[in-house]
Amino acid sequence: MKLSIEGHLERDAMVSSNGLATTTTQPRFSFGLISDVQYADISDGRSFLGVPRYYRHSILVLQRAVKEWNTYQKHMFVINFGDIVDGFCPKDQSLDSVRKVVDEFEMFKGGPVYHMIGNHCLYNLPRSKLLPLLKIQTLDGRAYYDFSPVPEYRFVVLDAYDISTIGWPQDHPKTLEAMKILREKNPNEDKNSPDNLEGPERRFVMFNGALGKEQMEWLDGVLLDATKLKQKVIVCCHLPLDPGAASKATLLWNYDEVMNLIHRYNCVKACLAGHDHKGGYSIDSHGIHHRVFEAALECPPGTNAFGYIDVYDDRISLVGTDRMESTDMTFGPLS
């Protein structure tokens, strides 16, 4: 189902992910979302796979998104799923380009905008400059945090490049740990290439990253606290966390470790991500929904990829615009 936000009407019934009709009630709240804007003031190009990329048009997609979110007037907040500016942005324009896109997000009038960092963000600016611009207020350059818009729900925003070769100084322990992982896992001279790697092993490339030990311990504590408070948890991460929802070369390095931790609890209902521009969807062995969002960057002129999510007690419902597929995610008994 593809609907424009302006044309969205309350539906008498919805079809859930298991094919059963569910009665529509008013959502507890809703929020807007967009991913992989990757703006740059350069001519259109292509990905390394040959997919067209529309660098100047992507900010127009964002502008239309903000206009529709403001028109709807019901969203409590907006989440940007990372990669705010493209890596091909001329480095002397990086700071101004990030500010320009952030200013467009700030035009949203309904509440806060929550950002997460992606690899293209870090190609442009180090964490020390990037995080203040994105209003990510944490200690020591960490970019993970959580928030609770209503007592029944908690959102967890992960830092997918906690262990990474980009964003940290070259001699930083996190950079050195990332280089060690890549040397062990990727035999290619070009560590951005997944050539000769099979299946999920293709994820061990420089444009991905991992959660470090401290963040894993923090996540464990957040999920324990959410369980005690009987909160449902939505995990947000730039990198996908399930091989069934995304290309194997786009996964978090230690997605398996992260999901093993998440599966020890019953509070997480969905994991939302960007990075893999074509988008994707899966339900894992524990009934957790994984939705990877289609990229704003790859929208041909005049088309869009953004949406909003209505949040209910028993499901979340993504209403996508144009190239972003709508998805109804009903919480099953296993989750």
Side-chain angles (χ1 to χ4, degrees), residues 122 125-133 136 140-142 167-169:
L122 296 171
L125 294 174
R127 286 171 177 262
S128 58
K129 291 185 178 179
L130 182 66
L131 298 190
L133 290 172
I136 300 176
D140 304 322
R142 291 173 291 186
W168 301 104

Side-chain angles (χ1 to χ4, degrees), residues 246-257:
S247 164
K248 308 300 186 289
T250 63
L251 296 165
L252 186 80
W253 287 347
N254 59 339
Y255 79 88
D256 46 354
E257 182 185 358

Side-chain angles (χ1 to χ4, degrees), residues 3-289:
L3 300 173
S4 73
I5 294 176
E6 290 173 335
H8 175 60
L9 300 173
E10 287 299 326
R11 287 161 283 180
D12 293 328
M14 280 184 182
V15 177
S16 69
S17 58
N18 60 10
L20 299 176
T22 57
T23 302
T24 299
T25 57
Q26 289 292 328
R28 284 194 169 271
F29 63 94
S30 68
F31 63 94
L33 62 92
I34 195 169
S35 190
D36 296 86
V37 174
Q38 289 181 226
Y39 166 74
D41 187 14
I42 58 176
S43 299
D44 296 343
R46 292 180 181 272
S47 72
F48 66 91
L49 295 175
V51 179
R53 293 183 163 182
Y54 305 94
Y55 298 108
R56 291 190 176 109
H57 177 255
S58 65
I59 199 168
L60 303 181
V61 178
L62 174 59
Q63 289 170 351
R64 291 192 290 264
V66 172
K67 181 180 178 181
E68 290 214 11
W69 295 330
N70 284 336
T71 298
Y72 196 49
Q73 293 185 333
K74 290 185 178 179
H75 305 313
M76 288 183 69
F77 54 90
V78 162
I79 301 181
N80 161 42
F81 280 83
D83 280 359
I84 196 167
V85 169
D86 195 83
F88 282 129
C89 178
K91 295 302 169 278
D92 61 344
Q93 298 177 22
S94 290
L95 186 60
D96 286 343
S97 294
V98 170
R99 284 174 172 158
K100 181 175 181 176
V101 181
V102 168
D103 286 346
E104 294 296 340
F105 275 106
E106 292 298 313
M107 297 299 289
F108 173 63
K109 300 173 183 177
V113 176
Y114 296 102
H115 294 278
M116 64 197 78
I117 56 173
N119 51 310
H120 283 268
C121 306
L122 296 171
Y123 296 149
N124 280 276
L125 294 174
R127 286 171 177 262
S128 58
K129 291 185 178 179
L130 182 66
L131 298 190
L133 290 172
L134 300 180
K135 297 183 180 178
I136 300 176
Q137 299 174 339
T138 59
L139 299 172
D140 304 322
R142 291 173 291 186
Y144 52 89
Y145 58 96
D146 67 305
F147 63 96
S148 183
V150 297
E152 297 85 2
Y153 273 89
R154 186 180 299 204
F155 285 71
V156 174
V157 178
L158 299 179
D159 181 353
Y161 294 90
D162 185 11
I163 305 299
S164 172
T165 61
I166 49 177
W168 301 104
Q170 286 302 302
D171 59 350
H172 195 284
K174 291 179 182 287
T175 306
L176 299 177
E177 183 178 348
M179 288 305 302
K180 181 174 183 290
I181 291 170
L182 287 176
R183 282 195 300 268
E184 292 174 354
K185 298 290 188 179
N186 188 330
N188 297 308
E189 185 176 344
D190 177 7
K191 301 301 183 186
N192 253 330
S193 171
D195 289 351
N196 305 311
L197 298 174
E198 298 294 331
E201 295 300 301
R202 292 174 63 81
R203 70 191 186 275
F204 291 107
V205 286
M206 288 180 72
F207 54 77
N208 297 330
L211 271 61
K213 183 173 182 290
E214 285 186 6
Q215 188 174 178
M216 290 292 291
E217 292 172 350
W218 170 84
L219 177 60
D220 192 15
V222 169
L223 297 181
L224 178 61
D225 188 52
T227 299
K228 291 177 180 177
L229 294 173
K230 298 181 178 177
Q231 291 176 320
K232 299 178 182 71
V233 175
I234 308 297
V235 173
C236 304
C237 183
H238 181 66
L239 295 179
L241 300 175
D242 186 69
S247 164
K248 308 300 186 289
T250 63
L251 296 165
L252 186 80
W253 287 347
N254 59 339
Y255 79 88
D256 46 354
E257 182 185 358
V258 172
M259 290 312 302
N260 284 340
L261 171 58
I262 287 174
H263 288 158
R264 290 189 358 223
Y265 297 90
N266 292 317
C267 56
V268 176
K269 305 304 177 186
C271 297
L272 309 178
H275 193 54
D276 189 357
H277 292 183
K278 69 181 183 300
Y281 174 62
S282 67
I283 303 175
D284 70 22
S285 59
H286 286 62
I288 296 174
H289 298 267

